Amino acid sequence: NGWAGRNQLRKISLFTLSMTPSVAFRITDELSIGAGAVMTYATLDWSFEAPVLGGQHFKVDDADDFEAAPLVSLLYEPTPRFRIGVVYLGETDLKLDGDVNVGIAAGLDADFDLDLPLAQAVRLHAVWEASDMVSLFFSARWEDWGELDTTAASINGGSFTVPLEFRDTWGGGVGVEVKTGERW
């Protein structure tokens, strides 16, 4: 209760579940395209303490939303042993709606809305089968979290801005697969 960050967070749970129905089409022997929709359900439970009203507790229960975002991909296979693919995932614009309980003792309820976009992303993957036994893998990704400097929220129609100060994320990986025999 005495933690300095209690005005932003005492407890939070953000759960998302996504599925991606998609289709793909081989244009030529070397080039394929794909498209789909990333359908995401999200639910938020959030407890924090407001510095006003004598440090009242605020609790957001079951704020949820269901949204879809586009997904587009290309796969290029210039040789039977090398393929490279790129995937674009569009931003998911979640608008979480639920109830907020203001003041545990008072038990006042209000409507709560929060815009929580999930970042767009680009991913690149490559596989080179160097021999019948060895394959090399490479991946790189970028996610546009820096776009989320702030987000909008409202309680009973009164809106305010929540600072997030997110930054873009970058990542990559390399891997090797060695086939030592039929059973391995």
Side-chain angles (χ1 to χ4, degrees):
N1 288 339
W3 178 54
R6 69 188 176 278
N7 295 335
Q8 285 81 35
L9 177 67
R10 291 172 59 97
K11 179 181 168 187
I12 192 164
S13 171
L14 175 64
F15 173 79
T16 61
L17 178 66
S18 298
M19 63 181 183
T20 310
S22 57
V23 296
F25 180 75
R26 184 177 291 271
I27 298 172
T28 68
D29 287 342
E30 294 87 22
L31 185 64
S32 300
I33 60 169
V38 180
M39 298 185 299
T40 302
Y41 171 76
T43 183
L44 171 71
D45 293 310
W46 182 17
S47 296
F48 58 99
E49 185 174 296
V52 296
L53 303 173
Q56 290 289 337
H57 296 295
F58 285 70
K59 185 174 182 184
V60 175
D61 285 320
D62 298 322
D64 65 350
D65 191 17
F66 179 82
E67 294 293 332
L71 176 108
V72 179
S73 64
L74 288 173
L75 176 64
Y76 181 59
E77 300 177 86
T79 73
R81 291 191 172 266
F82 179 74
R83 58 193 172 276
I84 186 167
V86 64
V87 176
Y88 169 76
L89 170 64
E91 182 178 299
T92 303
D93 195 18
L94 293 168
K95 296 187 183 326
L96 301 169
D97 300 319
D99 295 321
V100 63
N101 181 278
V102 182
I104 293 174
L108 300 173
D109 288 327
D111 292 327
F112 174 80
D113 300 302
L114 174 69
D115 291 346
L116 186 65
L118 303 179
Q120 67 178 338
V122 176
R123 296 182 179 121
L124 176 73
H125 305 277
V127 178
W128 176 45
E129 296 174 18
S131 70
D132 289 340
M133 290 182 55
V134 177
S135 295
L136 303 175
F137 299 86
F138 168 80
S139 68
R141 67 170 171 76
W142 164 76
E143 295 177 1
D144 189 22
W145 290 106
E147 185 70 22
L148 301 175
D149 190 41
T150 63
T151 192
S154 71
I155 296 177
N156 272 355
S159 49
F160 54 97
T161 300
V162 178
L164 297 174
E165 299 180 15
F166 288 173
R167 294 191 176 126
D168 288 358
T169 58
W170 299 83
V174 294
V176 176
E177 178 183 66
V178 178
K179 301 172 190 158
T180 58
E182 289 291 321
R183 298 182 66 165
W184 290 93

